[in-house]
Amino acid sequence: MNILVVGAGMYVTGRGGYGPGVILASLLEASRELPLSKVTVAAIRSENESYLLETTQRLNQQMNVSVDVDFLALGRVGVASLGKGFLSQFDAAIVCVPDHFHYEVSKHLLGANLHLLVVKPFTSKFHEAQDLAKRASAANIFGMVEFHKRFDQANRYARKVIENNEIGTPLYSVVNYSQRRVMPMDIFKLWARDTNVSQYLAVHYIDLLWHLTQFRPRRVLAVGVKEYLLSQGIDTWDSIHATIEWETPSGGKFVSQFNSSWIDSNKSSAMSDQTLLIVGSNGRLDLDQKNRGVTLTTEQGGVNEVNPYFADFLPDLEDDLHFSGYGFECIKQFIGDVMGLASGSSNLEHLKTHRPSFQDALVSSAVLEAINNSLSDDGTWQEVPNASI
Ligand SMILES: NC(=O)c1ccc[n+]([C@@H]2O[C@H](COP(=O)([O-])OP(=O)(O)OC[C@H]3O[C@@H](n4cnc5c(N)ncnc54)[C@H](O)[C@@H]3O)[C@@H](O)[C@H]2O)c1
């Protein structure tokens, strides 16, 4: 298989961030089981090339695999410079560019009939998400959003608990999700003002609550704080506080509250601090996704609460390093599904309902748009559009 990756930043190679990134290492790991022979990484700036090639060489060696990875500089024109003839060599593409470019890059690649994995947020404008879902459907293309939290074992456990009615009917939920301030102030400094922390963080749990409950979001109210980052010259919300009302299949109400922020201290004990509480008519479920019981303390690094379950190199019993975790599982799933479509062992209708497909991710974009409308309308209630195409 021949895969195109658009974007060569932190989430692809680890560049400018911490650790090895997720997408490149996942593709290399997937090559052990899937016939993945070539990866082309395309990005605007040519400065990405040397870091990509050095990282590939190191990872191929470390993991004892040999995937051919090359770099394509797109220049200012971006993906528009890639014609259909050129794109026809790829079996699928992964879109990993800043949030506000997801739509235009995805639309161009769909025009060349490429199966597509788009990192979250799918899009923050509902009509854009609808347009991409329509185009994918019309062209019989598999579009999936990289909502990797659906693959986290803790969240899969939550799904089982809810499906088995162990906590009864879910009545309300509280999500607290924050990250260190280095994210907007350093790593995403160039585009933090073009997105916001709901789109960057809360969207994961908006999708997860939809995935767990299948309730329909009806209306949203959101207020935010814009003080600290603005004082540092970055015009984006420090934190966003959203209340979402959902409707259960029997017409009942479920209320979720989301507090998302990206101004945690850089000295906090983990990059991400995240908890999810779901209270039902017969019990409650508490998930602490920061404190997973693994704490590393060193003279240099201080105290770190570690999440080895997301995406990390872990040795097997033969001492070989494997990239593993729910971040990897999500990407491997997409590549495997694309293969399944080609071989006929899977079909699009099944994938549309059993994956975070473009169709299934419409809910997340509908809610994001309502949050943004409420933020710019002084915290008023906003209806969530019906998430269909
Ligand atoms: N970093 C994370 O932990 C993480 C996790 C999950 C999802 N994401 C999402 O992944 C996306 C990218 O994040 P990142 O951390 O890699 O960002 P980044 O800023 O580190 O990298 C962005 C990359 O996209 C390229 N690019 C920018 N505009 C482009 C365009 N129009 N066409 C083609 N290439 C373009 C840049 O050259 C750069 O290589 C974002 O949507 C982000 O929300 C990031």
Side-chain angles (χ1 to χ4, degrees):
M1 291 178 85
N2 200 350
I3 306 293
L4 173 68
V5 177
V6 183
M10 175 180 167
Y11 203 52
V12 175
T13 61
R15 183 170 200 251
Y18 302 94
V22 171
I23 291 180
L24 181 64
S26 294
L27 291 173
L28 266 52
E29 181 66 37
S31 76
R32 296 184 202 269
E33 287 177 41
L34 303 172
L36 212 161
S37 47
K38 174 124 195 245
V39 175
T40 299
V41 179
I44 301 268
R45 286 178 297 125
S46 52
E47 298 92 88
N48 287 303
E49 179 166 15
S50 53
Y51 189 84
L52 171 76
L53 298 182
E54 280 162 25
T55 307
T56 304
Q57 197 184 18
R58 180 169 45 79
L59 293 183
N60 265 333
Q61 218 164 32
Q62 228 172 25
M63 298 166 72
N64 197 19
V65 295
S66 57
V67 179
D68 183 9
V69 178
D70 65 10
F71 180 76
L72 188 63
L74 297 171
R76 284 179 163 207
V77 200
V79 284
S81 61
L82 308 178
K84 278 189 187 172
F86 174 80
L87 290 172
S88 66
Q89 67 182 291
F90 299 104
D91 298 285
I94 299 178
V95 176
C96 192
V97 296
D99 299 3
H100 54 297
F101 292 125
H102 288 186
Y103 174 65
E104 67 174 63
V105 171
S106 302
K107 189 167 99 171
H108 185 79
L109 299 176
L110 281 177
N113 287 344
L114 286 179
H115 299 301
L116 223 54
L117 178 67
V118 181
V119 291
K120 58 81 213 165
F122 184 21
T123 67
S124 61
K125 296 194 173 73
F126 181 53
H127 75 271
E128 293 182 349
Q130 274 184 313
D131 185 51
L132 293 178
K134 265 188 210 158
R135 285 171 190 270
S137 262
N140 284 326
I141 294 298
F142 175 40
M144 177 169 140
V145 179
E146 195 249 359
F147 279 129
H148 52 245
K149 289 197 187 293
R150 291 191 186 195
F151 293 76
D152 183 341
Q153 290 189 332
N155 296 332
R156 289 165 59 194
Y157 176 74
R159 188 148 180 247
K160 186 181 79 159
V161 163
I162 288 171
E163 274 181 7
N164 290 349
N165 209 24
E166 288 181 55
I167 59 167
T169 306
L171 298 174
Y172 73 87
S173 167
V174 182
V175 172
N176 287 307
Y177 193 179
S178 57
Q179 285 194 342
R180 291 177 184 154
R181 56 187 61 183
V182 67
M183 294 303 280
M185 294 182 68
D186 186 2
I187 295 172
F188 296 146
K189 193 172 183 183
L190 288 177
W191 52 275
R193 69 194 71 233
D194 296 311
T195 184
N196 67 42
V197 69
S198 282
Q199 294 172 203
Y200 186 65
L201 295 182
V203 71
H204 272 299
Y205 286 94
I206 293 168
D207 174 70
L208 189 67
L209 283 184
W210 156 243
H211 178 60
L212 295 179
T213 65
Q214 297 292 294
F215 296 164
R216 291 275 161 191
R218 291 299 183 210
R219 59 177 194 155
V220 167
L221 172 158
V223 292
V225 174
K226 204 183 259 195
E227 300 284 343
Y228 176 71
L229 291 170
L230 194 59
S231 77
Q232 301 301 305
I234 301 168
D235 186 358
T236 192
W237 298 98
D238 296 334
S239 66
I240 295 175
H241 311 270
T243 301
I244 304 171
E245 279 188 5
W246 311 64
E247 191 179 326
T248 70
S250 60
K253 195 185 276 189
F254 172 73
V255 175
S256 62
Q257 287 187 306
F258 288 81
N259 296 310
S260 47
S261 143
W262 48 7
I263 56 162
D264 280 357
S265 162
N266 288 333
K267 299 232 183 306
S268 65
S269 61
M271 173 61 89
S272 289
D273 195 326
Q274 35 186 326
T275 57
L276 166 64
L277 162 71
I278 303 175
V279 174
S281 55
N282 194 42
R284 60 184 274 157
L285 181 65
D286 284 274
L287 300 178
D288 186 339
Q289 308 215 331
K290 169 188 174 184
N291 181 359
R292 295 186 182 232
V294 186
T295 306
L296 174 70
T297 307
T298 61
E299 287 299 321
Q300 294 82 10
V303 180
N304 280 283
E305 288 179 83
V306 181
N307 175 6
Y309 308 104
F310 170 42
D312 206 344
F313 289 99
L314 303 177
D316 65 11
L317 296 185
E318 302 297 327
D319 280 339
D320 290 327
L321 281 183
H322 287 262
F323 196 65
S324 55
Y326 52 87
F328 159 66
E329 294 297 335
C330 181
I331 288 160
K332 184 180 159 204
Q333 180 77 58
F334 170 73
I335 302 292
D337 287 340
V338 169
M339 267 188 67
L341 286 171
S343 69
S345 65
S346 187
N347 68 75
L348 263 183
E349 288 315 307
H350 176 83
L351 296 181
K352 274 185 196 170
T353 51
H354 290 77
R355 304 287 183 271
S357 64
F358 283 3
Q359 289 75 15
D360 202 55
L362 287 173
V363 166
S364 63
S365 292
V367 172
L368 282 183
E369 180 168 289
I371 289 177
N372 290 341
N373 287 342
S374 184
L375 282 171
S376 52
D377 196 24
D378 202 21
T380 53
W381 282 105
Q382 301 285 326
E383 296 298 312
V384 179
N386 190 8
S388 59
I389 50 173

